[in-house]
Amino acid sequence: MTARLALESDLRQFVSRLLRFDTTAPNEKAAQAWVEQTLVSWGFETYTWTADAARLATHPSFPDDPAAIDVADRPSVGGVLEFGDPEAGPTVVLNGHVDVVPAEGEWSSDPFEPTWDGDNLTARGAADMKSGLSACIFAARTLAESSENLNGRVVVESVVGEEEGGIGAAAAALDNPYPFSRDMALIAEPTELRPVLAVEGSVMKRLELAGRSAHAARRWCGESVLPHFEAIRRAFEELEAERAERIQHPLYDRFENPWPTSFGTVHAGSWASTVPSELTAEVRIGVAPGETVAAVEAEYEARLADVVAENEWLSEHPPSFERFSIQFEAGEISEAEPIHRALQAAMAEAGLSNREPIGETYGADSRHYIEAGIPTVVFGPGTIDQAHFPDETIDFREVVTATSVIADTVSRLLQTE
């Protein structure tokens, strides 16, 4: 068996084992222990850290109340390999999150028992993003086996809580868990093997409306919250369209609606025969790169105020419109960053044709590292279209390609003259 085939076989086995761990938050601990043990057996020096809820509560992405941030028994793991003179070259972080979303919906098989159909691998986390995390680890292993003329460090990270705002990555960005600085990073989220230089932010808001109940047979004696909600929803929809027209970004040209606003939950009324007098709705509002969460939040609050000012009932019974859950700031790096230039060269060497950098409408842990002054590109196997879906599937050939491209990217960054 050639070295390449042996590496691919080992990679398949590693991914399959990792997928068998149910790492639905907050249950990452067992998988992280296995990852750390495996890294140690492969010669990595390992570091672990657990986020401090009080520290995260000071970060704008997280709730102000530390009790609302679940960090107990949720370690993140970093594995370090040093090459040549580690101080003479850069330190490159390769990052992936080990947590997954719940396996809801109808699955054709056990979501935590990976199934193979040729090169198609199906399991919860196959695309988002245990295959990408595994590609990072095996890229580092590849470098360790052919490390001539390299100076610097490679850090592979398996972090927790990405789906809850980036608990592990945010903690590492706020307080460096290593005794050395970090120069750049790559996060292997599913990008269909395209370089993502910008990720969108978002603000989560909860809208509460009050009406007046009445018997349905005399509904005109009450005040239904539904027409008032519809007026607000339409106003937000109009603002969304205005923002899509007004805020242009070259990395988002392929999206007709690049900064989407979506009401994800709406709860109103208590009984079919009663006029609904209460409504609670939760909305996710997109934040473009270059904007802040606070500025976009203020824009929507102002539009809500316009609706209220034109509505007698709402003026007398003002809605509540407050933040909840987690917030995502947008993040972006320049095309000129060394991590992106090296990735471009490695992609060209691998024969990948879709090398033009793009932006994505989702948030990612890259924003935490960018905010900490660590330029970070997002590049990995699989598609976001499979993320959070039943029968989540990835073409494993992309995982193999990603492993090779990531290894080549880091090699170019660590090469001596």
Side-chain angles (χ1 to χ4, degrees), residues 389-407:
F389 272 63
D391 285 340
E392 179 181 344
T393 299
I394 194 168
D395 184 337
F396 203 75
R397 291 171 295 183
E398 286 193 20
V399 184
V400 175
T401 299
T403 302
S404 176
V405 170
I406 293 170

Side-chain angles (χ1 to χ4, degrees), residues 100-382:
V100 298
V101 297
E104 298 175 344
E106 294 185 7
W107 286 70
S108 58
S109 60
D110 181 346
F112 295 104
E113 182 54 48
T115 60
W116 292 86
D117 180 10
D119 287 313
N120 289 327
L121 171 61
T122 299
R124 171 55 85 224
D128 186 22
M129 60 166 290
K130 290 180 178 178
S131 295
L133 169 58
S134 301
C136 290
I137 293 171
F138 274 73
R141 282 192 67 192
T142 299
L143 288 174
E145 294 170 4
S146 56
S147 58
E148 293 184 5
N149 302 318
L150 300 182
N151 287 328
R153 295 184 188 87
V154 178
V155 181
V156 293
E157 291 182 341
S158 177
V159 296
V160 300
E162 189 273 346
E163 303 290 356
E164 300 160 88
I167 288 172
L174 286 169
D175 301 298
N176 186 357
Y178 311 106
F180 47 78
S181 61
R182 299 154 293 177
D183 297 297
M184 59 196 75
L186 180 148
I187 295 180
E189 289 278 9
T191 69
E192 301 178 52
L193 299 178
R194 296 195 66 179
V196 172
L197 301 189
V199 292
E200 186 172 314
S202 61
V203 56
M204 308 285 275
K205 300 279 282 185
R206 181 176 288 123
L207 174 70
E208 295 181 343
L209 301 178
R212 183 173 59 226
S213 64
H215 195 290
R218 293 287 190 273
R219 67 178 178 81
W220 49 86
C221 295
E223 185 71 32
S224 172
V225 290
L226 298 180
H228 302 303
F229 172 71
E230 273 302 299
I232 294 168
R233 190 195 63 78
R234 285 194 302 270
F236 281 11
E237 194 173 69
E238 292 168 1
L239 178 55
E240 175 191 57
E242 293 169 18
R243 284 171 46 77
E245 181 69 25
R246 184 177 80 244
I247 303 169
Q248 301 293 315
H249 194 295
L251 298 181
Y252 288 82
D253 285 345
R254 71 193 192 283
F255 294 110
E256 184 175 327
N257 180 19
W259 330 120
T261 296
S262 176
F263 279 97
T265 68
V266 180
H267 300 283
S270 59
W271 172 239
S273 192
T274 301
V275 172
S277 63
E278 294 180 347
L279 180 145
T280 300
E282 294 173 342
V283 61
R284 184 262 195 198
I285 300 167
V287 177
E291 295 187 300
T292 65
V293 163
V296 176
E297 180 179 35
E299 194 170 357
Y300 276 82
E301 288 176 341
R303 186 58 57 95
L304 175 60
D306 291 343
V307 175
V308 170
E310 297 173 0
N311 183 301
E312 182 180 354
W313 178 268
L314 291 179
S315 295
E316 295 175 358
H317 306 82
S320 169
F321 193 45
E322 302 294 335
R323 286 189 188 189
F324 77 101
S325 187
I326 53 177
Q327 318 305 322
F328 284 64
E329 293 286 354
E332 181 178 14
I333 65 169
S334 165
E335 294 184 31
E337 289 291 349
I339 184 72
H340 177 243
R341 294 204 309 268
L343 175 60
Q344 283 285 336
M347 292 176 67
E349 181 68 23
L352 297 179
S353 56
N354 290 329
R355 299 196 297 273
E356 283 297 311
I358 56 174
E360 270 297 352
T361 54
Y362 54 73
D365 277 345
S366 55
R367 73 192 190 280
H368 293 306
Y369 292 103
I370 292 170
E371 185 180 359
I374 305 168
T376 303
V377 66
V378 184
F379 170 86

Side-chain angles (χ1 to χ4, degrees), residues 82-97:
E82 294 188 339
F83 299 91
D85 179 357
E87 303 303 328
T91 294
V92 183
V93 177
L94 305 177
N95 172 287
H97 65 85

Side-chain angles (χ1 to χ4, degrees), residues 28-37 75-77 98 133 158-160:
E28 304 100 336
K29 186 177 181 179
Q32 293 292 69
W34 177 77
V35 168
E36 182 182 15
Q37 292 167 4
S76 291
V77 178
V98 74
L133 169 58
S158 177
V159 296
V160 300

Side-chain angles (χ1 to χ4, degrees), residues 27-51:
N27 302 311
E28 304 100 336
K29 186 177 181 179
Q32 293 292 69
W34 177 77
V35 168
E36 182 182 15
Q37 292 167 4
T38 304
L39 291 175
V40 169
S41 73
W42 288 339
F44 288 78
E45 182 179 7
T46 59
Y47 297 81
T48 63
W49 64 96
T50 300

